[in-house]
Amino acid sequence: MSRFNIESFKSQVSIIRVLENYLVLRKEGAYFKALCPFHHEKTPSFIIDENKGFYHCFGCNESGDAIKFVQKFKNLDFFAAVEEIARLEHIELSFNEQSNAYFQNLEFLKQLNEFFKTHLKQNEKAKMYFSNRGIDEEDIEHFSLGYVPKKEEFLRFIDSLNARKKAYELGLVSEKEGVIFANRLSFALKDAYGKVRGFSTRELIKNPHLAKYINSKNSNTFNKSFILYNLCNAKTPAYREKELFIMEGFFDVIAAYKCGLKNAVATCGTAFTTSHLALIFKHIKTSELTLCFVPDKDAPGYKSVIRSLKLCFEQNFFNVKVALLMEKCKDLGEFYQLKGICDLKEHFTFYSGFEFYLRYHLKRLKNAVQKDNFLKEIITLIKNIKQYFIKEQCIQEACAVFGVNANVFNAKIIDKNTALNEDFNVKTCLKTALNNEEFKQRFNFFVSAEFLGEFAQSYKDFLQSSQMDAKLLELCADESINILKPAYFSLALKNLVKTHYLKALMQAKKAKDFQKTMQMSQKIAELSKPF
Ligand SMILES: [Zn+2]
């Protein structure tokens, strides 16, 4: 380990390139912003400073560099995080045996893939299964479909590579040294660059002891939350078409491909995650991208697409559609088996993702209280939308679905609320400063009079004369304003200062005052230091 120079390593790492693998980042002024992955929030307070290689969350105070982020986000120890970053950044860690193990595993997976492909060619039953589903030899080659032979043969191959331990680590062999993947169809799970990272296998003959599909175990090469099936093939057509279809199963993606829809991926038997979204934005770099979810036409399918939509909206991504098959069949794979090659888009009904989300929920809400709560949720969601026309469109859709007037979602009402909050915060801090000596000193140090709005002059006078004027006396008598408990001192001060700077930043941006914008961004960044 002595040869590892941490500073030289860090100097080669871009925190943005690392974090964009896990988070949906937005550039805002001199910084990048994201929803904090370490606490639940609806508006981003997670700030990344690319130049300093540092992140900080104003919501939960998490902060650190790229290594610390990967450690915490993926629950890894220091060196495992360094390795992961080294792989992402293509930095060679020559000292490191584990890094060699990673490349050996990749090589092993590649050999296995070839082995499975060869065995498919020799197995009539498996070939028949695929051909019954309308999948020909060219498709088999294109999607690296294969067959895992019977246990003895599989183990003989693994032993010929002296790879029992590896096979166990990758979840290809079970604890009891029995093969769990035997006599099954195999789907190679590749990363966005086309490298085999793991396998999913499907039963060919029903086995009551095993699941229909079994994925590789999570390992240093594979994590199903970070893999989208077929992304390596779909990313270029998706970039060209500015649209990516997200399906549930491997056979859906293959059916779509057969019907000419080459920009389709599937999650590997898992829920759609923020990491999947980050993966998509990393590899398909167009701001006009639309995501189109194609759920299975059953209750679990709808439930899961609703979760995916919510996840997109929370990341302030609204360019989302849902496509439902018009025909009565469970999924696209089954549809293709029945219909054969056809123009899929003619068999889909497309919905705006937002409208679909609203209608799904409204249909299931039982009474006025539930409806009100849902309406509140949607108002908050709309409030947080940054882009003007997308916001307008969502307001229109929400009005139509809820049957309410646009005033309910009107931005002006919401702005007034924010202003009220700010006013409330100023009053609370000021009243506390007037009543608590310790807080007053910190308050005077961090807050200048211009932050105090209508109280600016009164407070200036008070500092000179130690006499409260009528305005301040009135504030002290106002029972709706509480004096802060010491535990909240730092947070309240930070909020007050941050709100002020953010407001100034907004005004500076609006006025296209570049210098002031930079100044305010800098000040906001400095808030990451402890108060
Ligand atoms: Zn946080």
Side-chain angles (χ1 to χ4, degrees):
M1 290 292 173
S2 59
R3 280 169 57 199
F4 179 62
N5 181 331
I6 180 78
E7 289 312 320
S8 128
F9 178 78
K10 277 190 188 173
S11 71
Q12 298 174 65
V13 171
S14 148
I15 190 166
I16 297 300
R17 282 200 307 264
V18 173
L19 265 60
E20 74 173 1
N21 289 286
Y22 314 106
L23 303 179
V24 178
L25 306 181
R26 269 165 213 287
K27 193 155 169 51
E28 224 164 89
Y31 301 92
F32 285 83
K33 262 188 166 185
L35 284 180
C36 177
F38 304 123
H39 81 281
H40 187 77
E41 63 175 356
K42 292 201 162 130
T43 46
S45 41
F46 187 91
I47 312 283
I48 306 137
D49 184 330
E50 188 171 23
N51 295 328
K52 293 194 180 127
F54 210 74
Y55 67 87
H56 179 85
C57 173
F58 287 101
C60 67
N61 274 328
E62 256 310 307
S63 63
D65 57 15
I67 301 173
K68 186 163 173 225
F69 178 87
V70 173
Q71 268 185 274
K72 188 153 165 90
F73 187 76
K74 296 200 78 181
N75 196 19
L76 298 173
D77 66 29
F78 179 80
F79 277 100
V82 167
E83 271 165 28
E84 169 126 353
I85 292 170
R87 286 198 289 274
L88 292 169
E89 292 281 78
H90 307 289
I91 300 169
E92 203 177 325
L93 297 175
S94 51
F95 69 90
N96 195 310
E97 277 179 27
Q98 279 185 21
S99 148
N100 291 335
Y102 168 78
F103 290 107
Q104 283 169 13
N105 280 349
L106 282 188
E107 186 54 33
F108 174 55
L109 288 166
K110 199 169 134 193
Q111 288 168 323
L112 271 181
N113 189 33
E114 292 309 317
F115 175 74
F116 295 157
K117 277 159 74 177
T118 309
H119 273 272
L120 177 59
K121 290 192 181 114
Q122 296 163 5
N123 189 295
E124 289 309 319
K125 229 179 184 169
K127 272 199 290 193
M128 186 63 83
Y129 178 85
F130 282 125
S131 102
N132 282 343
R133 297 203 68 149
I135 296 166
D136 61 28
E137 273 178 32
E138 193 211 317
D139 310 325
I140 286 173
E141 186 57 36
H142 182 79
F143 284 100
S144 291
L145 303 176
Y147 179 72
V148 190
K150 62 176 193 269
K151 182 175 158 182
E152 296 74 20
E153 217 160 329
F154 187 27
L155 283 179
R156 208 178 308 133
F157 176 72
I158 289 175
D159 287 341
S160 77
L161 298 172
N162 198 13
R164 278 262 177 142
K165 193 166 159 264
K166 263 188 220 129
Y168 171 68
E169 281 166 8
L170 298 173
L172 299 167
V173 173
S174 79
E175 282 84 351
K176 290 165 229 148
E177 291 292 294
V179 178
I180 53 173
F181 273 13
N183 303 316
R184 294 166 74 90
L185 306 171
S186 77
F187 299 81
L189 305 178
K190 298 178 180 178
D191 62 21
Y193 305 102
K195 284 210 169 70
V196 181
R197 295 300 205 103
F199 294 94
S200 185
T201 63
R202 185 197 191 279
E203 64 185 16
L204 185 55
I205 302 152
K206 223 172 175 28
N207 180 338
H209 305 294
L210 292 179
K212 193 164 164 192
Y213 284 94
I214 300 175
N215 279 340
S216 290
K217 270 202 314 207
N218 282 354
S219 64
N220 68 357
T221 61
F222 180 73
N223 183 327
K224 64 182 175 180
S225 298
F226 296 93
I227 296 252
L228 282 169
Y229 185 65
N230 199 42
L231 182 61
C232 56
N233 296 317
K235 61 183 181 182
T236 308
Y239 178 80
R240 208 170 40 230
E241 312 267 329
K242 299 191 182 349
E243 184 163 46
L244 182 72
F245 288 85
I246 299 166
M247 309 187 160
E248 289 205 11
F250 309 128
F251 285 111
D252 300 336
V253 169
I254 298 172
Y257 170 81
K258 294 294 285 178
C259 297
L261 223 59
K262 300 193 170 163
N263 45 340
V265 297
T267 51
C268 301
T270 177
F272 189 73
T273 63
T274 313
S275 304
H276 286 135
L277 199 58
L279 193 68
I280 290 169
F281 293 145
K282 184 187 172 188
H283 290 282
I284 308 171
K285 285 207 187 290
T286 160
S287 60
E288 292 166 47
L289 186 70
T290 300
L291 295 185
C292 185
F293 288 93
V294 186
D296 285 358
K297 286 182 74 178
D298 52 17
Y302 290 140
K303 245 192 187 156
S304 103
V305 81
I306 288 297
R307 266 200 309 269
S308 311
L309 291 172
K310 186 169 187 195
L311 187 146
C312 291
F313 300 155
E314 282 174 350
Q315 296 290 338
N316 197 29
F317 184 74
F318 286 83
N319 233 351
V320 194
K321 289 198 289 191
V322 175
L324 291 185
L325 272 173
M326 289 174 214
E327 275 77 4
K328 266 207 171 115
C329 48
K330 191 186 156 283
D331 58 32
L332 195 56
E334 196 184 292
F335 170 80
Y336 170 69
Q337 203 173 353
L338 292 170
K339 287 262 172 180
I341 293 173
C342 60
D343 184 356
L344 276 182
K345 288 190 178 170
E346 283 181 8
H347 294 269
F348 279 144
T349 314
F350 290 96
Y351 299 86
S352 118
F354 191 61
E355 192 192 336
F356 188 89
Y357 184 80
L358 296 178
R359 289 198 189 281
Y360 175 89
H361 281 291
L362 267 189
K363 230 189 245 174
R364 283 158 183 79
L365 298 176
K366 292 189 185 73
N367 53 46
V369 176
Q370 289 184 348
K371 276 186 193 169
D372 271 330
N373 287 338
F374 183 57
L375 181 63
K376 255 185 234 161
E377 190 188 303
I378 297 303
I379 291 175
T380 314
L381 198 66
I382 288 178
K383 185 183 90 175
N384 289 330
I385 300 176
K386 300 280 190 306
Q387 307 91 324
Y388 180 80
F389 286 109
I390 293 176
K391 191 173 195 157
E392 282 296 296
Q393 192 186 319
C394 287
I395 290 176
Q396 276 172 25
E397 286 175 3
C399 286
V401 175
F402 280 105
V404 296
N405 188 291
N407 283 340
V408 174
F409 305 100
N410 198 318
K412 281 208 181 84
I413 296 171
I414 290 150
D415 284 345
K416 209 167 101 198
N417 283 338
T418 327
L420 274 176
N421 277 338
E422 196 198 344
D423 185 40
F424 186 74
N425 207 356
V426 167
K427 282 182 177 167
T428 308
C429 285
L430 193 52
K431 185 167 175 178
T432 308
L434 293 169
N435 284 281
N436 182 302
E437 190 56 37
E438 193 213 335
F439 185 77
K440 191 172 97 187
Q441 284 177 13
R442 288 164 76 176
F443 184 77
N444 291 345
F445 186 77
F446 288 108
V447 178
S448 50
E450 54 169 315
F451 289 27
L452 301 177
E454 53 168 325
F455 293 101
Q457 195 54 48
S458 302
Y459 192 64
K460 260 190 211 161
D461 292 344
F462 169 73
L463 289 180
Q464 293 275 319
S465 65
S466 295
Q467 296 279 319
M468 287 194 242
D469 67 9
K471 240 178 143 54
L472 293 182
L473 285 169
E474 195 190 329
L475 173 67
C476 284
D478 186 348
E479 280 179 7
S480 71
I481 307 292
N482 288 319
I483 294 171
L484 288 163
K485 293 196 178 83
Y488 295 108
F489 282 1
S490 291
L491 192 67
L493 271 178
K494 201 177 263 189
N495 270 338
L496 184 68
V497 176
K498 196 177 141 197
T499 318
H500 179 79
Y501 284 151
L502 282 175
K503 217 169 87 183
L505 178 66
M506 230 72 104
Q507 281 164 354
K509 271 187 183 169
K510 221 174 175 180
K512 297 204 165 41
D513 181 345
F514 185 67
Q515 203 180 354
K516 184 98 189 264
T517 305
M518 292 297 285
Q519 218 176 27
M520 287 303 127
S521 302
Q522 191 65 39
K523 289 214 149 128
I524 292 166
E526 276 166 15
L527 289 177
S528 61
K529 290 173 199 150
F531 260 43

